[in-house]
PDB file of all heavy atoms in Angstrom:
ATOM      1  N   ASN A  10      84.317 -64.570  64.788  1.00 97.00           N
ATOM      2  CA  ASN A  10      85.131 -63.369  64.980  1.00 97.00           C
ATOM      3  C   ASN A  10      84.791 -62.739  66.317  1.00 97.00           C
ATOM      4  O   ASN A  10      83.722 -62.966  66.870  1.00 97.00           O
ATOM      5  CB  ASN A  10      84.930 -62.393  63.823  1.00 97.00           C
ATOM      6  CG  ASN A  10      83.538 -61.774  63.793  1.00 97.00           C
ATOM      7  OD1 ASN A  10      83.211 -60.898  64.591  1.00 97.00           O
ATOM      8  ND2 ASN A  10      82.684 -62.249  62.870  1.00 97.00           N
ATOM      9  N   ALA A  12      84.646 -58.949  68.130  1.00 97.00           N
ATOM     10  CA  ALA A  12      84.679 -57.518  67.804  1.00 97.00           C
ATOM     11  C   ALA A  12      85.532 -56.751  68.806  1.00 97.00           C
ATOM     12  O   ALA A  12      85.385 -56.921  70.025  1.00 97.00           O
ATOM     13  CB  ALA A  12      83.264 -56.970  67.779  1.00 97.00           C
ATOM     14  N   ILE A  14      85.722 -53.320  68.202  1.00 98.00           N
ATOM     15  CA  ILE A  14      84.741 -52.229  68.257  1.00 98.00           C
ATOM     16  C   ILE A  14      83.406 -52.905  67.949  1.00 98.00           C
ATOM     17  O   ILE A  14      83.226 -53.515  66.893  1.00 98.00           O
ATOM     18  CB  ILE A  14      85.034 -51.140  67.187  1.00 98.00           C
ATOM     19  CG1 ILE A  14      86.445 -50.553  67.365  1.00 98.00           C
ATOM     20  CG2 ILE A  14      83.957 -50.045  67.221  1.00 98.00           C
ATOM     21  CD1 ILE A  14      86.682 -49.770  68.647  1.00 98.00           C
ATOM     22  N   LYS A  15      82.489 -52.835  68.895  1.00 98.00           N
ATOM     23  CA  LYS A  15      81.271 -53.647  68.810  1.00 98.00           C
ATOM     24  C   LYS A  15      80.221 -53.089  67.854  1.00 98.00           C
ATOM     25  O   LYS A  15      80.069 -51.869  67.739  1.00 98.00           O
ATOM     26  CB  LYS A  15      80.604 -53.747  70.195  1.00 98.00           C
ATOM     27  CG  LYS A  15      81.504 -54.249  71.314  1.00 98.00           C
ATOM     28  CD  LYS A  15      81.917 -55.685  71.120  1.00 98.00           C
ATOM     29  CE  LYS A  15      82.742 -56.190  72.298  1.00 98.00           C
ATOM     30  NZ  LYS A  15      83.376 -57.488  71.986  1.00 98.00           N
ATOM     31  N   TYR A  16      79.526 -54.015  67.241  1.00 98.00           N
ATOM     32  CA  TYR A  16      78.275 -53.707  66.521  1.00 98.00           C
ATOM     33  C   TYR A  16      77.196 -53.768  67.581  1.00 98.00           C
ATOM     34  O   TYR A  16      76.993 -54.807  68.205  1.00 98.00           O
ATOM     35  CB  TYR A  16      78.107 -54.778  65.440  1.00 98.00           C
ATOM     36  CG  TYR A  16      76.713 -55.205  65.055  1.00 98.00           C
ATOM     37  CD1 TYR A  16      75.719 -54.286  64.725  1.00 98.00           C
ATOM     38  CD2 TYR A  16      76.423 -56.567  64.956  1.00 98.00           C
ATOM     39  CE1 TYR A  16      74.461 -54.717  64.326  1.00 98.00           C
ATOM     40  CE2 TYR A  16      75.176 -57.007  64.544  1.00 98.00           C
ATOM     41  CZ  TYR A  16      74.197 -56.074  64.246  1.00 98.00           C
ATOM     42  OH  TYR A  16      72.959 -56.502  63.844  1.00 98.00           O
ATOM     43  N   TRP A  17      76.529 -52.656  67.830  1.00 98.00           N
ATOM     44  CA  TRP A  17      75.522 -52.662  68.910  1.00 98.00           C
ATOM     45  C   TRP A  17      74.373 -51.735  68.536  1.00 98.00           C
ATOM     46  O   TRP A  17      74.406 -50.546  68.803  1.00 98.00           O
ATOM     47  CB  TRP A  17      76.189 -52.259  70.246  1.00 98.00           C
ATOM     48  CG  TRP A  17      75.361 -52.582  71.447  1.00 98.00           C
ATOM     49  CD1 TRP A  17      74.913 -51.702  72.399  1.00 98.00           C
ATOM     50  CD2 TRP A  17      74.876 -53.878  71.844  1.00 98.00           C
ATOM     51  NE1 TRP A  17      74.172 -52.368  73.346  1.00 98.00           N
ATOM     52  CE2 TRP A  17      74.142 -53.709  73.030  1.00 98.00           C
ATOM     53  CE3 TRP A  17      74.978 -55.170  71.299  1.00 98.00           C
ATOM     54  CZ2 TRP A  17      73.524 -54.767  73.688  1.00 98.00           C
ATOM     55  CZ3 TRP A  17      74.361 -56.231  71.963  1.00 98.00           C
ATOM     56  CH2 TRP A  17      73.653 -56.017  73.128  1.00 98.00           C
ATOM     57  N   LYS A  19      70.707 -51.607  65.604  1.00 98.00           N
ATOM     58  CA  LYS A  19      70.359 -51.590  64.170  1.00 98.00           C
ATOM     59  C   LYS A  19      69.541 -50.338  63.846  1.00 98.00           C
ATOM     60  O   LYS A  19      68.711 -49.923  64.647  1.00 98.00           O
ATOM     61  CB  LYS A  19      69.499 -52.807  63.822  1.00 98.00           C
ATOM     62  CG  LYS A  19      70.185 -54.143  63.969  1.00 98.00           C
ATOM     63  CD  LYS A  19      69.251 -55.272  63.526  1.00 98.00           C
ATOM     64  CE  LYS A  19      69.858 -56.647  63.718  1.00 98.00           C
ATOM     65  NZ  LYS A  19      69.959 -57.079  65.122  1.00 98.00           N
ATOM     66  N   PHE A  25      69.113 -55.681  58.511  1.00 98.00           N
ATOM     67  CA  PHE A  25      70.323 -55.809  59.328  1.00 98.00           C
ATOM     68  C   PHE A  25      71.300 -54.676  59.032  1.00 98.00           C
ATOM     69  O   PHE A  25      72.479 -54.907  58.761  1.00 98.00           O
ATOM     70  CB  PHE A  25      71.004 -57.164  59.113  1.00 98.00           C
ATOM     71  CG  PHE A  25      70.245 -58.331  59.683  1.00 98.00           C
ATOM     72  CD1 PHE A  25      69.132 -58.843  59.027  1.00 98.00           C
ATOM     73  CD2 PHE A  25      70.620 -58.918  60.885  1.00 98.00           C
ATOM     74  CE1 PHE A  25      68.416 -59.912  59.541  1.00 98.00           C
ATOM     75  CE2 PHE A  25      69.914 -59.983  61.419  1.00 98.00           C
ATOM     76  CZ  PHE A  25      68.801 -60.475  60.734  1.00 98.00           C
ATOM     77  N   SER A  31      81.804 -51.338  62.787  1.00 98.00           N
ATOM     78  CA  SER A  31      82.460 -52.164  63.805  1.00 98.00           C
ATOM     79  C   SER A  31      83.719 -52.793  63.227  1.00 98.00           C
ATOM     80  O   SER A  31      83.937 -52.754  62.013  1.00 98.00           O
ATOM     81  CB  SER A  31      81.488 -53.242  64.307  1.00 98.00           C
ATOM     82  OG  SER A  31      80.982 -54.000  63.221  1.00 98.00           O
ATOM     83  N   SER A 105      76.437 -67.269  65.578  1.00 91.00           N
ATOM     84  CA  SER A 105      75.652 -66.955  64.391  1.00 91.00           C
ATOM     85  C   SER A 105      76.563 -66.337  63.333  1.00 91.00           C
ATOM     86  O   SER A 105      76.256 -66.384  62.151  1.00 91.00           O
ATOM     87  CB  SER A 105      74.503 -66.024  64.744  1.00 91.00           C
ATOM     88  OG  SER A 105      74.994 -64.822  65.271  1.00 91.00           O
ATOM     89  N   GLY A 136      71.737 -62.484  57.489  1.00 97.00           N
ATOM     90  CA  GLY A 136      71.429 -63.597  58.380  1.00 97.00           C
ATOM     91  C   GLY A 136      71.743 -63.209  59.811  1.00 97.00           C
ATOM     92  O   GLY A 136      70.991 -63.481  60.753  1.00 97.00           O
ATOM     93  N   SER A 137      72.872 -62.544  59.995  1.00 96.00           N
ATOM     94  CA  SER A 137      73.297 -62.040  61.293  1.00 96.00           C
ATOM     95  C   SER A 137      74.358 -60.979  61.029  1.00 96.00           C
ATOM     96  O   SER A 137      75.288 -61.223  60.249  1.00 96.00           O
ATOM     97  CB  SER A 137      73.886 -63.187  62.131  1.00 96.00           C
ATOM     98  OG  SER A 137      74.226 -62.732  63.408  1.00 96.00           O
ATOM     99  N   GLY A 138      74.211 -59.822  61.663  1.00 97.00           N
ATOM    100  CA  GLY A 138      75.103 -58.708  61.345  1.00 97.00           C
ATOM    101  C   GLY A 138      76.575 -59.069  61.428  1.00 97.00           C
ATOM    102  O   GLY A 138      77.354 -58.801  60.505  1.00 97.00           O
ATOM    103  N   SER A 139      76.971 -59.716  62.537  1.00 97.00           N
ATOM    104  CA  SER A 139      78.397 -60.015  62.728  1.00 97.00           C
ATOM    105  C   SER A 139      78.914 -61.011  61.689  1.00 97.00           C
ATOM    106  O   SER A 139      80.131 -61.126  61.492  1.00 97.00           O
ATOM    107  CB  SER A 139      78.629 -60.539  64.151  1.00 97.00           C
ATOM    108  OG  SER A 139      77.752 -61.593  64.444  1.00 97.00           O
ATOM    109  N   ALA A 140      78.028 -61.741  61.009  1.00 98.00           N
ATOM    110  CA  ALA A 140      78.453 -62.696  59.970  1.00 98.00           C
ATOM    111  C   ALA A 140      79.092 -61.976  58.782  1.00 98.00           C
ATOM    112  O   ALA A 140      79.924 -62.547  58.077  1.00 98.00           O
ATOM    113  CB  ALA A 140      77.264 -63.525  59.496  1.00 98.00           C
ATOM    114  N   ARG A 142      81.320 -59.901  58.854  1.00 98.00           N
ATOM    115  CA  ARG A 142      82.776 -59.766  59.087  1.00 98.00           C
ATOM    116  C   ARG A 142      83.503 -61.095  58.954  1.00 98.00           C
ATOM    117  O   ARG A 142      84.709 -61.133  58.741  1.00 98.00           O
ATOM    118  CB  ARG A 142      83.022 -59.159  60.477  1.00 98.00           C
ATOM    119  CG  ARG A 142      82.423 -57.752  60.659  1.00 98.00           C
ATOM    120  CD  ARG A 142      82.827 -57.162  62.013  1.00 98.00           C
ATOM    121  NE  ARG A 142      82.530 -58.068  63.093  1.00 98.00           N
ATOM    122  CZ  ARG A 142      81.723 -57.824  64.127  1.00 98.00           C
ATOM    123  NH1 ARG A 142      81.137 -56.644  64.249  1.00 98.00           N
ATOM    124  NH2 ARG A 142      81.514 -58.725  65.056  1.00 98.00           N
ATOM    125  N   SER A 191      71.685 -61.436  71.812  1.00 92.00           N
ATOM    126  CA  SER A 191      72.288 -60.172  71.355  1.00 92.00           C
ATOM    127  C   SER A 191      71.267 -59.389  70.521  1.00 92.00           C
ATOM    128  O   SER A 191      71.196 -58.165  70.601  1.00 92.00           O
ATOM    129  CB  SER A 191      73.585 -60.422  70.577  1.00 92.00           C
ATOM    130  OG  SER A 191      73.415 -61.406  69.599  1.00 92.00           O
ATOM    131  N   ARG A 192      70.487 -60.104  69.741  1.00 93.00           N
ATOM    132  CA  ARG A 192      69.492 -59.438  68.886  1.00 93.00           C
ATOM    133  C   ARG A 192      68.487 -58.644  69.726  1.00 93.00           C
ATOM    134  O   ARG A 192      68.255 -57.471  69.509  1.00 93.00           O
ATOM    135  CB  ARG A 192      68.773 -60.479  68.024  1.00 93.00           C
ATOM    136  CG  ARG A 192      67.931 -59.874  66.944  1.00 93.00           C
ATOM    137  CD  ARG A 192      67.608 -60.869  65.852  1.00 93.00           C
ATOM    138  NE  ARG A 192      68.803 -61.378  65.197  1.00 93.00           N
ATOM    139  CZ  ARG A 192      68.791 -62.239  64.183  1.00 93.00           C
ATOM    140  NH1 ARG A 192      67.638 -62.697  63.737  1.00 93.00           N
ATOM    141  NH2 ARG A 192      69.911 -62.664  63.640  1.00 93.00           N
ATOM    142  N   MET A 195      70.276 -55.744  71.876  1.00 97.00           N
ATOM    143  CA  MET A 195      70.634 -54.483  71.210  1.00 97.00           C
ATOM    144  C   MET A 195      69.379 -53.674  70.868  1.00 97.00           C
ATOM    145  O   MET A 195      69.371 -52.465  70.961  1.00 97.00           O
ATOM    146  CB  MET A 195      71.566 -54.708  70.009  1.00 97.00           C
ATOM    147  CG  MET A 195      71.001 -55.371  68.794  1.00 97.00           C
ATOM    148  SD  MET A 195      72.217 -55.360  67.433  1.00 97.00           S
ATOM    149  CE  MET A 195      73.260 -56.752  67.829  1.00 97.00           C
ATOM    150  N   MET A 242      79.780 -50.551  75.743  1.00 98.00           N
ATOM    151  CA  MET A 242      78.641 -51.287  75.188  1.00 98.00           C
ATOM    152  C   MET A 242      77.813 -51.921  76.317  1.00 98.00           C
ATOM    153  O   MET A 242      76.585 -51.811  76.351  1.00 98.00           O
ATOM    154  CB  MET A 242      79.127 -52.390  74.238  1.00 98.00           C
ATOM    155  CG  MET A 242      78.021 -53.248  73.678  1.00 98.00           C
ATOM    156  SD  MET A 242      78.599 -54.886  73.181  1.00 98.00           S
ATOM    157  CE  MET A 242      77.641 -55.922  74.290  1.00 98.00           C
ATOM    158  N   ASP A 282      81.423 -60.184  74.630  1.00 94.00           N
ATOM    159  CA  ASP A 282      80.251 -60.054  73.755  1.00 94.00           C
ATOM    160  C   ASP A 282      78.964 -60.214  74.574  1.00 94.00           C
ATOM    161  O   ASP A 282      78.991 -60.097  75.784  1.00 94.00           O
ATOM    162  CB  ASP A 282      80.325 -61.073  72.621  1.00 94.00           C
ATOM    163  CG  ASP A 282      81.166 -60.525  71.464  1.00 94.00           C
ATOM    164  OD1 ASP A 282      81.390 -59.307  71.415  1.00 94.00           O
ATOM    165  OD2 ASP A 282      81.595 -61.324  70.622  1.00 94.00           O
ATOM    166  N   ALA A 283      77.888 -60.534  73.908  1.00 93.00           N
ATOM    167  CA  ALA A 283      76.599 -60.608  74.593  1.00 93.00           C
ATOM    168  C   ALA A 283      76.454 -61.931  75.349  1.00 93.00           C
ATOM    169  O   ALA A 283      75.599 -62.765  75.033  1.00 93.00           O
ATOM    170  CB  ALA A 283      75.481 -60.439  73.572  1.00 93.00           C
TER     171      ALA A 283
HETATM  172  C1  LIG B 401      77.794 -58.017  71.056  1.00 56.35           C
HETATM  173  O1  LIG B 401      75.502 -60.329  64.991  1.00 56.35           O
HETATM  174  O2  LIG B 401      74.620 -61.733  66.919  1.00 56.35           O
HETATM  175  O3  LIG B 401      78.593 -59.700  69.583  1.00 56.35           O
HETATM  176  O4  LIG B 401      72.636 -59.106  63.732  1.00 56.35           O
HETATM  177  O5  LIG B 401      70.897 -59.542  65.450  1.00 56.35           O
HETATM  178  O6  LIG B 401      72.206 -61.448  64.494  1.00 56.35           O
HETATM  179  P1  LIG B 401      72.196 -59.979  64.880  1.00 56.35           P
HETATM  180  O7  LIG B 401      73.261 -59.793  66.053  1.00 56.35           O
HETATM  181  P2  LIG B 401      74.719 -60.408  66.264  1.00 56.35           P
HETATM  182  O8  LIG B 401      75.293 -59.338  67.312  1.00 56.35           O
HETATM  183  C2  LIG B 401      76.599 -59.339  67.773  1.00 56.35           C
HETATM  184  C3  LIG B 401      76.728 -58.359  68.875  1.00 56.35           C
HETATM  185  C4  LIG B 401      78.049 -58.416  69.602  1.00 56.35           C
HETATM  186  C5  LIG B 401      79.056 -57.411  69.046  1.00 56.35           C
HETATM  187  C6  LIG B 401      79.721 -57.753  67.734  1.00 56.35           C
HETATM  188  O9  LIG B 401      79.938 -58.927  67.404  1.00 56.35           O
HETATM  189  O10 LIG B 401      80.085 -56.787  67.046  1.00 56.35           O
END
Side-chain angles (χ1 to χ4, degrees):
N10 68 74
I14 302 294
K15 306 294 184 192
Y16 148 51
W17 195 238
K19 295 183 183 72
F25 290 78
S31 55
S105 61
S137 183
S139 52
R142 299 185 308 240
S191 49
R192 191 161 299 182
M195 70 173 82
M242 177 205 118
D282 275 343

